[in-house]
Amino acid sequence: QVQLVESGGGLVQARGSLRLSCAASGDTICISVWGWYRQAPGNERELVATIRVDNSITNYADSVKGRFTISRDNAKNTLYLQMNSLKPEDTAVYYCNAEQIPCNTGRGLAYFEDFWGQGTQVTVSS
């Protein structure tokens, strides 16, 4: 099992910046992709950014390209989302995600599974 805890959300004015953190614990050896998603009221959850473990290739939603940066500190087992030039339409609950693939953890077998954090609110005022 993998546990994810987000932090860093809050209220910020438009054109401001925030950095979200996602601290991971548990057995993360079989995680293949880390990501950030968001969900605004009345909307479906949408992808914001992902980063692959094997080659660190990143992927961003068109709406955040050039403004957001996803990164990971392996030593701290923490995922980050640096958000610059924030807009009111970025207001949402932001969720950390970890995609697990089948592998041998050394302590047992892991299988396909998605892990989610509890979310952190980001509110951008105009």
Side-chain angles (χ1 to χ4, degrees):
Q1 285 291 318
V2 174
Q3 295 79 39
L4 305 174
V5 179
E6 300 99 333
S7 61
L11 174 64
V12 63
Q13 290 188 331
R15 295 178 296 280
S17 297
L18 279 176
R19 188 177 81 156
L20 305 183
S21 300
C22 172
S25 60
D27 216 334
T28 61
I29 193 172
C30 300
I31 301 301
S32 64
V33 180
W34 296 89
W36 288 98
Y37 290 72
R38 67 186 181 187
Q39 187 168 17
N43 291 353
E44 293 187 353
R45 191 171 297 188
E46 63 177 5
L47 181 146
V48 176
T50 61
I51 183 168
R52 295 186 58 87
V53 171
D54 55 357
N55 54 21
S56 297
I57 288 179
T58 57
N59 178 52
Y60 295 93
D62 287 343
S63 59
V64 307
K65 280 180 181 176
R67 300 188 298 123
F68 291 10
T69 302
I70 188 171
S71 63
R72 178 162 169 78
D73 185 329
N74 292 324
K76 295 182 178 179
N77 220 6
T78 300
L79 181 72
Y80 300 101
L81 184 69
Q82 178 66 45
M83 304 185 295
N84 299 328
S85 302
L86 282 160
K87 304 175 181 180
E89 51 263 44
D90 294 318
T91 295
V93 178
Y94 284 70
Y95 296 91
C96 178
N97 171 264
E99 296 180 15
Q100 180 175 275
I101 60 173
C103 85
N104 190 331
T105 70
R107 287 166 290 280
L109 295 178
Y111 302 93
F112 285 111
E113 190 163 1
D114 261 344
F115 298 100
W116 294 92
Q118 82 288 349
T120 185
Q121 177 71 47
V122 172
T123 303
V124 184
S125 63
S126 57

